[in-house]
Amino acid sequence: MILSPFEWTIAKRYMLPGRGEAFIALVAGISLVAVSLGVAALVIVMSVMNGFRAELFDKIVGLNGHAVIQAYGGRLENWQTVLAEVRATPGVVRASPLIEQPLLATFNGRVEGILARGNTPQDIARLKPSLKAGTLALLRPGAGQVAIGARLAENLGARVGDTITIINPQGRATPFGTVPRQIGYTVAAVFEIGVYDYDNAFVVMPIADAQTLLLSGDSIGMIEVKTTDPDHVGEILAPLTRKLAGQAVVTDWKTINAALFEALSVERVAMFTVLSIIVLVAVFNILSSLIMLVRAKTRDIAILRTMGATRRSLLKIFVTAGFLIGALGTVAGLGLGFLFLFFRQNVVNAVQYLTGQNLWDPSIRFLSELPSRSDPVEVVAICVMALVLSFLATLYPAWKAASTDPVQVLRYE
């Protein structure tokens, strides 16, 4: 919609009401602020929700793989053969043997439940970006060295160089009953993945040490698999599932974390719907301000009509005046939203300091910090929605202005 110089001049005049129209200007300003706050709220919440899902996916799937292959009974005896078959499957990027077993750990009288995790040297090396203290190079088979999560280290009061005792209830049988197996391990490294449950429980060791601790011989617990496309992991591993039927079960990340990611998806839709109402309320403010503007400018509209202004021109003038309020509010909302996201952790820390409340408890939120990841498609959709609603809100007042009968208005002037 292209405006002529005359139409643009009148539109600018109506967007900046005079001193006698301060109330109209106030309502228009409130409309602009409301649109910007609505757009900012949508951008912030959707980016945080996307970031939360992406961070959880990256950390959970990055540590556990896209799928796990576990034998019935928990022990995979012929794992070398199965591992070779998995690696030969098209679409599989990486396959690694893995042992995971819930046990107990003690240090200086403190006892914590742990998840003992036996990994290959290649998998242990992938913890390097998450390393907080110590070195992973000491985690060699038979060295008696382990890496533990940062939260677990805090709970036990253990540091690098300390010796923790891991207790396996399935110990050796003696004439006096079963004696739990207790082995001391030196803490060689402390890591922080960023997922509270992992940092609070994981004790990583070479897979040979885990087999010795669990008295499992040469068997392993499972094989973790990473594929080329996590969203189609089921289709990629379908031939392997049929081949291992009756021997082992293949479980992908969607099944393992189904409840968590389904809850996040539902929450994203619910939050988008609820916050869209803010934009809708702002649009009604634009509608009301334009209606008041048309009422205040009825005489001016009649004079413009007598001077030759067409209905189409008046329609374009008032649509432009209202639409620009929505457009400026949308741009301001984008700027405000991205500014908040850039300083999001500082904002959370400031609110926590002022209120004295812990707003981001890692034990509840899973992640250590407030995440954010903006989706360009969603940002564009939010902007388009705000602009379309703003445009629709201008149609009725603009139509009323264009329908003004100058004869009726100026009859008693």
Side-chain angles (χ1 to χ4, degrees):
M1 183 173 61
I2 301 176
L3 274 68
S4 66
F6 158 72
E7 294 167 346
W8 180 242
T9 301
I10 301 299
K12 286 193 296 183
R13 171 66 183 83
Y14 285 170
M15 283 187 291
L16 299 172
R19 288 178 298 175
E21 301 159 350
F23 183 72
I24 298 175
L26 176 63
V27 174
I30 292 174
S31 303
L32 190 149
V33 172
V35 171
S36 64
L37 290 177
V39 171
L42 275 170
V43 170
I44 292 169
V45 171
M46 297 309 295
S47 296
V48 169
M49 293 296 297
N50 287 336
F52 195 78
R53 183 185 185 279
E55 286 294 316
L56 277 178
F57 179 82
D58 291 343
K59 294 181 183 297
I60 292 176
V61 175
L63 191 65
N64 291 332
H66 297 157
V68 293
I69 300 171
Q70 190 167 12
Y72 295 105
R75 288 192 177 185
L76 197 59
E77 302 292 345
N78 60 332
W79 61 271
Q80 292 91 345
T81 304
V82 177
L83 183 62
E85 292 179 351
V86 174
R87 288 174 173 171
T89 303
V92 172
V93 176
R94 187 184 73 243
S96 304
L98 173 67
I99 293 177
E100 276 190 1
Q101 183 68 35
L103 299 174
L104 292 175
T106 66
F107 178 74
N108 281 349
R110 298 183 182 181
V111 181
E112 292 289 335
I114 66 168
L115 192 63
R117 185 179 176 96
N119 282 123
T120 63
Q122 294 79 10
D123 292 332
I124 292 175
R126 286 204 298 274
L127 287 174
K128 190 173 182 179
S130 305
L131 200 62
K132 288 194 67 178
T135 176
L136 298 173
L138 297 177
L139 272 69
R140 297 187 299 271
Q145 305 277 344
V146 295
I148 65 176
R151 304 290 179 183
L152 178 61
E154 292 176 5
N155 294 338
L156 289 175
R159 295 177 295 179
V160 173
D162 292 334
T163 299
I164 63 173
T165 301
I166 298 180
I167 303 173
N168 179 12
Q170 296 179 346
R172 296 186 181 276
T174 70
F176 302 99
T178 301
V179 177
R181 184 175 178 81
Q182 302 184 39
I183 301 181
Y185 292 94
T186 302
V187 178
V190 176
F191 59 85
E192 185 174 16
I193 298 171
V195 179
Y196 181 85
D197 287 355
Y198 293 169
D199 295 332
N200 192 50
F202 272 13
V203 175
V204 178
M205 62 182 69
I207 196 167
D209 289 2
Q211 291 172 334
T212 301
L213 173 64
L214 299 174
L215 302 174
S216 61
D218 190 40
S219 66
I220 63 170
M222 63 189 74
I223 296 174
E224 63 174 11
V225 182
K226 184 176 181 180
T227 62
T228 53
D229 187 356
D231 291 326
H232 297 88
V233 62
E235 293 85 341
I236 293 173
L237 298 182
L240 194 62
T241 302
R242 292 190 294 269
K243 189 180 296 184
L244 297 177
Q247 181 182 3
V249 59
V250 180
T251 308
D252 60 32
W253 67 271
K254 297 179 182 179
T255 304
I256 298 173
N257 306 286
L260 176 61
F261 286 102
E262 182 65 25
L264 287 176
S265 299
V266 172
E267 189 174 1
R268 284 179 69 252
V269 174
M271 292 300 292
F272 184 87
T273 303
V274 171
L275 291 175
S276 296
I277 297 176
I278 299 177
V279 179
L280 190 60
V281 171
V283 165
F284 278 111
N285 285 336
I286 296 176
L287 176 65
S288 62
S289 66
L290 276 182
I291 290 175
M292 287 189 291
L293 181 62
V294 171
R295 296 274 295 179
K297 298 294 184 182
T298 301
R299 184 173 177 274
D300 292 358
I301 294 170
I303 294 174
L304 288 173
R305 286 296 313 279
T306 59
M307 294 176 64
T310 63
R311 293 179 184 269
R312 180 182 177 85
S313 293
L314 291 173
L315 190 69
K316 291 161 65 176
I317 289 170
F318 283 94
V319 166
T320 300
F323 181 76
L324 281 179
I325 294 175
L328 292 174
T330 301
V331 173
L334 284 178
L336 180 63
F338 287 125
L339 182 66
F340 182 94
L341 291 174
F342 185 79
F343 295 104
R344 63 188 182 280
Q345 197 59 44
N346 295 331
V347 173
V348 171
N349 294 336
V351 174
Q352 288 182 155
Y353 177 78
L354 293 174
T355 62
Q357 301 293 323
N358 187 2
L359 302 180
W360 193 262
D361 187 353
S363 63
I364 299 173
R365 309 292 184 181
F366 295 100
L367 301 178
S368 302
E369 293 185 350
L370 181 67
S372 172
R373 183 173 298 185
S374 299
D375 184 353
V377 176
E378 284 188 351
V379 172
V380 171
I382 291 170
C383 294
V384 170
M385 180 189 69
L387 294 176
V388 169
L389 290 177
S390 299
F391 173 76
L392 293 177
T394 65
L395 295 181
Y396 176 72
W399 175 78
K400 290 293 290 183
S403 302
T404 300
D405 186 353
V407 176
Q408 294 296 328
V409 175
L410 300 176
R411 174 177 294 176
Y412 302 105
E413 292 291 333

